[in-house]
Amino acid sequence: MTTNAYPHLLAPLDLGFTTLKNRLIMGSMHTGLEEIDPRMQAEFFARRARGGCALAITGGIAVTARGALAPGVSSMITEQDAERHRVITEAVHREGGKIAMQALHAGRQSYHPNCVSASDMKAGSYPFKPHRLTDEEIEEEIGGFVNAAALAQYAGYDGVEIMGSEGYLINQFLAPRTNDRTDRWGGPIENRIRFPVEIVRRVRAKVGPNFIIVYRLSMLDLVEGGGTWDEIAILAQALEQAGVTILNTGIGWHEAKIPTIATMVPRAAFAEFTGRVKQLVKVPVCASNRINVPEVGEGIIAAGHADLVSMARPWLADPDFAVKAAAGQRKEINVCIACNQACLDHTFQLRRASCLVNPFACYETELVSTPAAVKKKIAVVGAGPAGLAFSVNAAERGHDVTLFDAESRIGGQFNIAKTIPGKEEFQETLDYFAAMLEKTGVNLKLNTRVSVDSLKAGGFDDIVLATGIQPRHADIPGADGPKVMSYLDVLRDRKPVGRRVAIVGAGGIGVDTAEFLTHDASHKPSSLDKEVFFREWGIDRTNSVRGGIEGVPAQVDPSPRTVYLLQRRNKKIAGPGKTTGWIHREALLKKGVQMLQGVEYRRIDATGLHIAVEGREQVLEVDTIVICAGQEPNRELLEGLQAAGLSTHVIGGADEAKELDAKRAIRQGTELALKL
Ligand code: FAD
Ligand code: NAP
Ligand code: SF4
């Protein structure tokens, strides 16, 4: 018998006309499946319903042509649009779940020239200046929301979520930042809230009382000229009056220069803002952002901050989240580490989303694990992400898998990654793999450096080399001197580093090494401490100033070292992630890191590192030079194994070190395991 460790999280929620089976919502995510095939979307959502998700919310669906994020995105405007969605709602209902369609109007945050807004002010990084809506056109756009909600109901959805946050059109009406109107839609707050309140009121009138209306309320805009707490409180109460069923949480506009969901944001950092709204209304409220494990969700509800929790990416990482939580299998939950690498980064590159820790996500109909036709005896060398993913998936299919690693623990380079401030979450992936190795019966042999001879003697049918990488040496005269270290010396072996440091190479590891060296080991990093996070990013916890940030200085703990971060390419230095690179850059600049691009390395000597930038020679008088110049594959066993005629496969960094990351390593390991 299992005891319910999450009594609040797993309790049903009675909405009056319908009941949610627990408090777990899957928040809206644009996965890219919307524009491919509704059957793939159907399987994606059905899989999560099977895994216990009480209410899933689709990616944003355009309510009018003018409101589309980009040309060709999914919309709900005609009856034919609604017909295409039926396969999705039916699939979810067959699995006992519920699903709501997110009704989205992007306003000025869109990539087409016909975009519109409350005013004609262009959004920073978006290409087009919006057309300022006339009174008549505003009525049309409200009508678009009403029509989309009615069509969603016709398509079998259990409800809609009206997207009122993240800086989209509704936010653009609410905030003085984007609304300079003087008519009945602008000026005092009573006028600025008219647009969302009218949408909810008219949608409710159209769909009747037995249809879920979720409203995504921006609790904290994080932009100058954004809303204040008083305004948010007025809006929350007006929305309740207008007929919402659930108030969901949005944090930060897309234009905000403060991280809101990336891995360096503390878990549940923003739940307290939802908690304040909960005090004002009777309808259930839902917390969101950086809630990724059941104990955090349980804590939020138990503390009275919310009635529900919305998680989006964690449902990519593990479609069985709720079922596993209910069965007491917490260790088997594949936890979202908030890296954004396979989800949001893909979306912003117009690629289909997936998940770094779960490559099956959004590939439910293509990546399918079936029992192996022939049971094989397989040796896997290397228990980094590639070897772990292969081993678990191969053993699950029935193969007899032995996994070797020279180290005393599984994880490979992930053990180094998790020591970087802001990457503590990476331990979750290692805990998950540890649990799954045990569950699937992988024979784990740690502290075992294997050789060609030992593998030959093992009588294996197949050998999988997942031996990772070797750090690349920098070809700089004097690089063998006493001031020079590799990133492994610093991050893994914790050798003492001087007060003035130059980092050669500004790829992912160079940036992470700078992050590590600019933190004092005696301070809790902001990723683990809300107090520090809010202070370092200049957020007013009372949300009494506009956007929660206006006039609030960011106060960062000083770096214990002077750090130079260098690269040869003449290109702005940032972290490798499409949606997170800017955060690393901002954080390092706040710590005073000096970033130099277009660097030519001359030599290293007792004075320091001699370089030239744009032809100008200079010496960085540093105590330590840390080499983060990329990596080369470690394939030392390959030739011997091939010479011995053993069936050998190479994955992860051992296969290709260039642009290697854990996303590729885990996917490659998984794909091979499904084939062998
Ligand atoms: P590795 O992780 O290198 O594992 C190889 C394993 O093989 C090791 O455990 C090693 O001990 C073992 N081995 C080698 N030879 C033998 C032998 N002969 N016998 C037995 N065992 C052997 N990636 C991301 O996607 N996102 C990030 O944010 C990120 N951050 C990082 C931060 C840092 C500081 C570092 C160092 C890496 C980071 N990475 C990140 C990269 C990521 O960790 C690697 O891409 C990934 O670990 C590669 O996986 P792998 O399995 O191919 O190899
Ligand atoms: P990397 O991203 O390839 O970066 C290597 C850096 O070294 C570059 O700045 C490169 O730029 C420089 N360099 C290359 N050869 C050099 C040489 N011979 N001498 C001097 N400088 C040289 O590799 P990495 O930083 O080692 O990271 C390894 C992998 O882990 C990468 O694929 C990375 O994406 C992944 N990773 C990801 C994350 C993440 O957050 N997503 C974090 C860490 C690591 P110049 O040639 O312009 O100088
Ligand atoms: Fe979470 Fe990273 Fe997977 Fe996205 S790719 S769902 S952030 S673990």
Side-chain angles (χ1 to χ4, degrees):
M1 201 187 79
T2 57
T3 53
N4 181 0
Y6 316 108
H8 295 87
L9 191 66
L10 299 176
L13 180 67
D14 183 0
L15 297 175
F17 56 92
T18 190
T19 300
L20 301 184
K21 63 182 164 197
N22 57 44
R23 308 306 178 93
L24 287 157
I25 290 185
M26 173 160 82
S28 174
M29 283 176 286
H30 184 92
T31 59
L33 292 175
E34 296 82 356
E35 286 80 40
I36 305 179
D37 182 345
R39 283 167 303 184
M40 287 159 83
Q41 247 192 308
E43 186 46 33
F44 171 80
F45 284 114
R47 183 71 192 79
R48 272 82 199 159
R50 207 150 58 234
C53 175
L55 174 68
I57 297 172
T58 67
I61 306 288
V63 296
T64 64
R66 291 190 283 217
L69 269 172
V73 298
S74 191
S75 57
M76 186 62 92
I77 300 173
T78 65
E79 229 171 85
Q80 285 107 303
D81 290 335
E83 295 295 352
R84 274 197 295 278
H85 284 246
R86 235 175 242 293
V87 61
I88 302 169
T89 57
E90 285 170 3
V92 170
H93 293 153
R94 266 197 304 279
E95 299 294 346
K98 294 192 193 304
I99 183 160
M101 185 198 84
Q102 189 185 73
L104 171 71
H105 194 307
R108 68 180 199 161
Q109 287 185 171
S110 65
Y111 295 89
H112 62 80
N114 299 326
C115 61
V116 296
S117 186
S119 317
D120 60 359
M121 291 177 251
K122 190 172 104 54
S125 57
Y126 290 83
F128 299 106
K129 190 172 171 177
H131 161 69
R132 179 196 198 89
L133 287 164
T134 63
D135 191 78
E136 195 182 325
E137 288 165 342
I138 291 172
E139 292 290 342
E140 282 169 20
E141 300 311 286
I142 294 175
F145 276 96
V146 178
N147 177 54
L151 288 171
Q153 194 175 32
Y154 170 72
Y157 282 105
D158 302 280
V160 284
E161 175 175 86
I162 293 166
M163 181 40 153
S165 66
E166 262 75 359
Y168 289 120
L169 182 66
I170 291 178
N171 255 173
Q172 293 158 29
F173 270 91
L174 289 169
R177 174 185 182 82
T178 40
N179 185 346
D180 62 2
R181 305 179 76 98
T182 51
D183 59 4
R184 65 190 177 119
W185 306 101
I189 184 64
E190 292 69 26
N191 283 357
R192 281 183 276 125
I193 66 169
R194 193 182 309 281
F195 186 65
V197 172
E198 278 305 300
I199 290 170
V200 172
R201 193 180 64 74
R202 295 185 206 179
V203 167
R204 176 55 79 206
K206 181 80 178 178
V207 297
N210 299 339
F211 192 64
I212 299 170
I213 301 178
V214 183
Y215 181 93
R216 184 99 174 263
L217 174 65
S218 185
M219 309 269 176
L220 184 65
D221 288 342
L222 299 178
V223 287
E224 290 189 352
T228 62
W229 165 246
D230 292 346
E231 294 176 352
I232 291 159
I234 291 169
L235 174 60
Q237 289 169 321
L239 291 169
E240 180 172 41
Q241 288 293 313
V244 293
T245 321
I246 294 170
L247 281 176
N248 195 4
T249 298
I251 301 290
W253 289 29
H254 288 322
E255 300 161 33
K257 284 278 164 272
I258 293 174
T260 54
I261 60 167
T263 191
M264 66 291 285
V265 178
R267 288 177 175 179
F270 302 104
E272 62 193 57
F273 294 93
T274 312
R276 290 179 73 187
V277 169
K278 184 167 160 53
Q279 307 304 316
L280 296 174
V281 293
K282 292 198 182 61
V283 292
V285 299
C286 180
S288 78
N289 288 51
R290 287 291 283 123
I291 302 165
N292 60 344
V293 289
E295 58 273 22
V296 170
E298 174 68 17
I300 290 170
I301 300 175
H305 288 318
D307 304 280
L308 298 137
V309 293
S310 168
M311 303 182 305
R313 299 167 299 166
W315 287 102
L316 292 179
D318 198 328
D320 290 319
F321 189 98
V323 161
K324 287 180 182 172
Q329 296 165 337
R330 162 65 179 89
K331 287 187 178 158
E332 291 174 27
I333 293 180
N334 200 357
V335 173
C336 164
I337 58 174
C339 64
N340 285 357
Q341 286 176 238
C343 50
L344 220 55
D345 283 359
H346 280 206
T347 305
F348 275 79
Q349 292 161 328
L350 302 181
R351 294 168 64 193
R352 190 192 319 182
S354 186
C355 173
L356 178 142
V357 299
N358 174 28
F360 293 93
C362 302
Y363 287 79
E364 285 76 15
T365 56
E366 294 145 275
L367 268 188
V368 180
S369 176
T370 51
V374 180
K375 186 174 163 178
K376 290 178 161 186
K377 186 175 172 194
I378 303 174
V380 184
V381 190
L388 288 168
F390 174 86
S391 300
V392 164
N393 283 291
E396 228 160 35
R397 294 187 60 223
H399 291 305
D400 173 5
V401 180
T402 305
L403 172 60
F404 299 96
D405 203 293
E407 301 278 326
S408 60
R409 56 188 176 166
I410 63 165
Q413 292 177 69
F414 247 39
N415 286 309
I416 308 172
K418 76 183 187 197
T419 65
I420 306 300
K423 288 195 172 177
E424 298 82 5
E425 289 285 0
F426 285 38
Q427 180 61 42
E428 290 283 354
T429 303
L430 301 182
D431 292 346
Y432 164 76
F433 275 121
M436 294 310 288
L437 289 176
E438 202 179 320
K439 183 174 180 177
T440 56
V442 171
N443 184 12
L444 179 62
K445 303 269 189 204
L446 294 174
N447 301 306
T448 311
R449 178 167 288 281
V450 295
S451 61
V452 174
D453 287 340
S454 64
L455 289 170
K456 271 202 283 190
F460 296 103
D461 300 310
D462 282 274
I463 290 156
V464 176
L465 279 189
T467 43
I469 50 81
Q470 302 282 5
R472 184 184 291 137
H473 298 293
D475 193 14
I476 306 172
D480 52 355
K483 282 177 181 251
V484 182
M485 290 184 181
S486 96
Y487 66 85
L488 290 178
D489 295 326
V490 177
L491 302 175
R492 185 190 63 189
D493 303 338
R494 301 296 166 101
K495 294 195 179 154
V497 176
R499 293 264 152 208
R500 294 163 305 164
V501 186
I503 299 172
V504 170
I509 292 178
V511 166
D512 275 356
T513 303
E515 194 76 58
F516 180 85
L517 291 173
T518 51
H519 276 80
D520 189 326
S522 62
H523 292 164
K524 229 179 179 184
S526 62
S527 49
L528 296 180
D529 188 327
K530 277 197 251 181
E531 199 75 52
V532 182
F533 175 80
F534 287 127
R535 177 166 50 76
E536 291 202 339
W537 288 96
I539 301 169
D540 166 27
R541 289 179 89 162
T542 67
N543 200 5
S544 49
V545 295
R546 289 226 163 270
I549 58 160
E550 254 183 36
V552 184
Q555 292 171 298
V556 175
D557 292 332
S559 165
R561 297 183 179 84
T562 301
V563 175
Y564 299 91
L565 182 58
L566 315 173
Q567 79 179 11
R568 297 174 302 186
R569 258 166 306 165
N570 203 354
K571 187 178 162 234
K572 193 161 105 174
I573 293 175
K578 175 91 184 151
T579 61
T580 50
W582 67 270
I583 306 174
H584 292 290
R585 184 178 167 83
E586 287 282 315
L588 293 181
L589 288 173
K590 284 189 173 121
K591 287 280 190 185
V593 171
Q594 297 175 54
M595 301 184 193
L596 299 180
Q597 61 201 45
V599 172
E600 291 171 51
Y601 301 112
R602 297 288 193 234
R603 65 182 188 283
I604 296 167
D605 61 19
T607 328
L609 176 61
H610 297 250
I611 59 171
V613 182
E614 290 175 356
R616 205 168 59 82
E617 303 286 335
Q618 51 183 297
V619 191
L620 303 180
E621 291 184 8
V622 292
D623 313 305
T624 309
I625 294 131
V626 185
I627 307 296
C628 304
Q631 307 173 328
E632 302 289 351
N634 172 14
R635 292 191 207 122
E636 57 193 14
L637 299 174
L638 182 62
E639 219 173 288
L641 293 172
Q642 284 173 336
L646 294 173
S647 170
T648 308
H649 313 264
V650 189
I651 58 174
D655 175 40
E656 172 68 272
K658 193 163 182 276
E659 292 176 9
L660 167 75
D661 59 9
K663 177 179 73 171
R664 172 145 64 80
I666 290 177
R667 176 167 277 274
Q668 202 182 7
T670 305
E671 285 177 345
L672 179 66
L674 299 191
K675 273 192 228 137
L676 270 193

